[in-house]
Amino acid sequence: MIETAVSQVRETLLNISQRDEVSLAFGGQASDVRLLYERVKDCPIYSKYPWKNTVRPEEFLAQLPLLTKNDLRNHFPNGFLHPSENFIQLIEQKKVEVVRTSGTSSDRLQVLWDTGWWDRHEKTALQTNSFIEPYMSKDYREAVLTTPLCSDSVCKTGPLSMNERIVDYMLFLNTNEDPTRWTSDDLERMLSELEQFCPVALEADPGYLAPLARYLRTSQRRIPKLQWIILTYEFVSAIHKKLIRSVYQCPVFEFYGLTEAGVFFLECLEGGYHFCGQDSLVEILRPRSFSTLPNNLGEVVVTTWGNRAEPLLRYRTHDLVVWKNDPCACGVKGSTLVSFEGRIGDCLEFPGGDIFTPRQIDGALKDIGSLAQYLCIQGQPNSVVVEYVRDGQTDPGPEIEDRLHVLWKRVNVTAREVSFIAPEPSGKYRTVKPL
Amino acid sequence: MNTKVIKLPDIRSSIRDEFPLLRKRINGKPILYLDSASTALKPTCVLEAIRKYYEQETANVHRSTHPLGEAVTVSYENARNRVARFLHARPDEIIFVRNTTEAINLVSYGIGLTKQDEILITPLEHHSNQLPWLSRAGVKYVPLGSDDLPDSEQIPFLVTHNTRLLAVSLLSNVTGIQNPIHKWVSLAQEKKIPLLVDAAQAAGHMPLDVQRLGCDFLAFSGHKVCGPSGIGVLWGRREQLAKMVPSLLGGGMVHESRLDGYQIKEPPHCFEAGTPNIEGALGLAAALKFMENIGMNHVENHSRELGERLYDGLKEIPNIKLIAQEKRDRYGIASFFIKIPGLSAEALGRMLADTHGIMLSTGMHCTHPYHGLLNFPATVRASTQVYNTTEEVETFLGALRGIFGGA
């Protein structure tokens, strides 16, 4: 019975349907509706949709079912192409490319991009940030720090040289799996390459940049100059963001997007997250009957038509966000996202129906100075073990337990120090593992 | 434990029922497993054998005088006997190792090679039958013919007075084609040079008889004959094993150890230092019994039937190139290259897995030299076992036609 009660709220979130309330929408104009309809009406996956003529994009979309990862898998690649188009011909003509999303093997997808689409799309999105925009010239160079750049073959043929890791204007820094396997040679090599390549910006997975930042903080090494840092690829813990800001002394912006759909929200200098998508519309959905979470929290559902190879209608991201209706201090009017709360599947739920997002948990721990990294593991419905890595001399364990007791009240919390926390098989780090 | 003999007409459904993994679904789709050349699925009897060891027979072998130890020692040596029977060999010629790789390395070390010695192999060999030789001796390769297969007519011309050993795979893990082993055996016997047969793939697809084969060493891995991982077999003729030096020294392989020396046991025990993979050996014995109950001739016929269907289907699909285009001596393994730049083997493999639940291998399958000679950066390999059906092969071919076209 306890397990049933525990799963009820998360199940409600996971079973959000087309009839649930659209609390907010970003992007999309009335004229886009006609464009969208013309683009997708003949795609096999959408050909049986209940199309009705309406004026407002949100109303138009609200009648349509939600799309899931399994839908993308089951209909790849021909389901999204016009019947007159042939996947093999498009590949031969280099009009499309097959791209793989990150994530574990059960989450991973293959998607089709119009050749060159992502690059154009991402650069346009970055230019919506008034700080970044002046730097986006034809000399723009960027370094990327995430899981290693792999050749397209399963057989690994050895680490790639720096030149082999430069693709167009980007240098991919990492060659050695995840940070738990990095040596000081790896760290020094990456920093030297940053100095050699002189990128304007660094786009990084926060779980990978934080160890590099920690190394820089303790070494006497000169810090490579960057105009800004973009944090993306996974949930950004405030602990990592604070460390990275303090070490690199440059603006740090969170950037939200999905390989299969595009980029949608970019942080401004005032900490608001503004819509930066093109040819897309984002809905924030929450169940009508929902009561245990704030009213301004919901799931991101995206509709995109800019990538002609794989237009997506009401694609569920399973990512939760919080918004506000007040204008942002940067001057952008209208609604603004306040935070990325984490994935639905990473929410912790306790007996009685209390549910906590990864962001809420991170918020409780973010000010613990000697905490480098943590992972909350819910072993029993009412019991959580928090594995943590300390940063410095002070043991943050007792403070972790105290703060989470205040947040969760009647939950058993045990903090356990570990020497490292490994990423998931996908290379991404989690902060919460629910039951 | 399942001991019934499975008749050929029932081969498909009753055999598939014995493999629990085939009931699993991924993303709602049933699994179509075409990656048995990487590792084969395990039948219930193998799982039961391992579980039984842990639940009822846990003890060490050859070391204990209590009932549990004696019982498991008997089971372990019975497993050795089972392997010996499977190969038509003597039990004292059967050495338990971790896998084919370790078996070949054991021979490579044991026969005492120098850089002046030459080993004759083919460029199709798995790294495990290439690197142990390359690291210790000179290696000569039988050149490829116009059919992209080793030109067996050239074999005799490559033997010199420095040739210490011939080593060849019985069944290629890339092409699924059986090597003309009789030519290798004839040459080996004529020149009185030992012959090692890598039977890693062959053991799960055909009956093996080391007496009829006429080789001097044979190696195979348990996990490719539906047994557990971490267990393999090296068979060697007694007179060959007697000349070999063990590569691992330690407990269990000496009659006596003193402060100033030691006296090692006779084969096979001198090659089995330390506590062995007991549960692996027991699981392997259960797997071999399972395969023998089906009948290795049936296993072979089934493999050849599926291999023929793979060949007939793949060669008609546009935009791919089957490796080794000729139809001969094919078993249930086939690899192909994608002729479309922009669509990688890996992308296709993931597409087949994600959309159709088809599991297979992409890459170079530990045969970098062969892929280099063919100038293929990577290939896609489908490989079958006793639990696969002709319908599954047709489903696979249908999925490819859906992507590449073709009737």
Side-chain angles (χ1 to χ4, degrees), chain A residues 274-330:
Chain A
H274 303 298
F275 182 71
C276 61
Q278 316 111 54
D279 300 327
S280 57
L281 185 147
V282 171
E283 301 167 272
I284 312 296
L285 257 61
R286 57 177 282 118
R288 289 180 195 279
S289 59
F290 218 51
S291 60
T292 58
L293 283 174
N295 286 334
N296 60 344
L297 179 141
E299 179 187 348
V300 176
V301 172
V302 302
T303 296
T304 70
W305 56 93
N307 176 28
R308 293 189 76 256
E310 196 158 330
L312 303 179
L313 298 191
R314 307 197 87 198
Y315 176 64
R316 293 193 64 183
T317 66
H318 287 229
D319 291 324
L320 293 171
V321 296
V322 164
W323 74 86
K324 64 175 182 179
N325 288 322
D326 306 322
C328 182
C330 73

Side-chain angles (χ1 to χ4, degrees), chain A residues 262-281:
Chain A
V263 292
F264 300 100
F265 293 97
L266 178 60
E267 189 178 358
C268 69
L269 281 170
E270 301 300 328
Y273 300 94
H274 303 298
F275 182 71
C276 61
Q278 316 111 54
D279 300 327
S280 57
L281 185 147

Side-chain angles (χ1 to χ4, degrees), chain B residues 290-309:
Chain B
F290 175 82
M291 297 292 269
E292 285 178 323
N293 281 347
I294 296 173
M296 291 309 294
N297 289 326
H298 292 327
V299 170
E300 182 173 30
N301 290 340
H302 184 65
S303 177
R304 293 191 74 140
E305 182 187 359
L306 296 185
E308 190 169 321
R309 286 192 184 231

